[in-house]
């Protein structure tokens, strides 16, 4: 079975169970923490995917990292995954859980790309701009110096491109059209 299907099934079960028990927000925070830990430590992902390393050692690693720091539902899932030899998909399950959580809560992910980190005022302005398109907005901030300045906002298939590069390309295209028309 593909990892994405496995991840979806475990994440869906966990989200339903957490919602029934009123700990959905806590488990979502835990899953965000799991994603962060895996992103910061590529060796952890390699260990979890390594079939040579015994399941009890993987269980011990997960317990050392998360026991006492996450909700009991989250820790139970991590234990279950090692017992079922699914520890290789912990990161994927956590990522899928966050997607399902956002969908369930009506939260739209808005990606904002700038050349440097944005301030709290700018963050509030971006949220205000996108508030007309979605009730709840989660900003994901990216830095890309190639846009030279300005910003690019993306949500689903919509994009607002107010970057310097986009404006320069518009000017370039306008000049090109004028040259061709003469």
């Amino acid at each position: 079975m593909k990892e994405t299907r496995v991840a979806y099934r475990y994440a869906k079960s966990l989200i339903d169970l957490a919602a029934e028990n009123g700990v959905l927000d806590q488990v979502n925070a835990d899953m965000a923490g799991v994603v962060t830990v895996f992103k910061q430590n590529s060796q952890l992902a390699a260990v979890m995917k390594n079939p040579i390393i015994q399941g009890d050692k993987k269980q011990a690693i997960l317990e050392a990292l998360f026991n006492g720091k996450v909700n009991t539902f989250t820790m139970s899932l991590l234990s279950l995954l090692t017992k079922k030899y699914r520890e290789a998909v912990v990161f994927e399950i956590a990522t899928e859980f966050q997607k399902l959580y956002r969908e369930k809560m009506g939260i739209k992910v808005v990606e904002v790309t700038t050349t440097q980190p944005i301030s709290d005022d700018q963050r509030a302005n971006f949220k205000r701009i996108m508030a007309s398109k979605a009730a709840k907005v989660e900003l994901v901030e990216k830095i890309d110096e190639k846009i030279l300045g300005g910003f690019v906002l993306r949500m689903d298939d919509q994009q607002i491109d107010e970057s310097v590069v986009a404006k320069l390309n518009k000017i370039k295209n306008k000049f090109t059209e004028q040259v061709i028309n003469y």
Side-chain angles (χ1 to χ4, degrees):
M1 193 180 308
K2 285 187 167 186
E3 287 182 357
T4 53
R5 287 180 58 191
V6 170
Y8 175 82
R9 288 181 180 175
Y10 278 99
K12 178 74 172 119
S13 296
L14 181 62
I15 205 164
D16 291 343
L17 187 61
E20 284 177 21
N21 289 285
V23 292
L24 187 58
D25 291 333
Q26 293 171 331
V27 174
N28 181 58
D30 294 345
M31 289 294 124
V34 169
V35 168
T36 301
V37 168
F38 271 80
K39 281 184 178 179
Q40 291 175 346
N41 190 346
S42 61
Q43 291 176 339
L44 177 61
V47 166
M48 291 297 137
K49 291 182 187 238
N50 189 334
I52 296 171
I53 299 172
Q54 297 296 319
D56 58 339
K57 291 184 181 177
K58 293 176 183 178
Q59 172 71 28
I61 291 169
L62 291 173
E63 282 184 15
L65 286 171
F66 300 110
N67 199 16
K69 299 173 188 154
V70 296
N71 189 289
T72 55
F73 283 94
T74 307
M75 201 62 227
S76 296
L77 172 73
L78 296 175
S79 297
L80 177 69
L81 291 173
T82 55
K83 288 176 187 166
K84 298 285 187 178
Y85 306 104
R86 298 285 194 193
E87 62 276 346
V89 293
V90 169
F91 175 76
E92 289 81 3
I93 292 169
T95 304
E96 191 65 34
F97 182 92
Q98 289 189 296
K99 287 179 190 174
L100 292 172
Y101 176 82
R102 288 183 192 114
E103 187 178 298
K104 184 175 187 75
M105 302 305 283
I107 300 170
K108 290 289 187 176
V109 175
V110 176
E111 182 181 291
V112 59
T113 306
T114 57
T115 56
Q116 51 190 292
I118 61 175
S119 68
D120 290 337
D121 289 340
Q122 291 170 322
R123 198 170 287 114
N125 284 336
F126 287 131
K127 284 184 178 184
R128 185 181 44 74
I129 290 169
M130 299 311 288
S132 63
K133 307 212 185 271
K136 296 179 186 175
V137 173
E138 180 180 318
L139 279 182
V140 175
E141 300 172 25
K142 292 190 174 185
I143 308 277
D144 184 2
E145 295 176 1
K146 294 176 190 168
I147 66 171
L148 300 177
F151 64 89
V152 179
L153 283 174
R154 286 187 189 98
M155 182 175 76
D156 296 332
D157 61 345
Q158 299 175 343
Q159 177 173 300
I160 300 172
D161 192 346
E162 292 294 324
S163 66
V164 172
V165 167
K167 290 180 181 185
L168 288 173
N169 283 335
K170 285 179 187 176
I171 293 170
K172 176 184 168 187
N173 290 338
K174 197 178 261 188
F175 281 134
T176 304
E177 286 176 16
Q178 288 178 352
V179 170
I180 290 173
N181 291 333
Y182 284 113

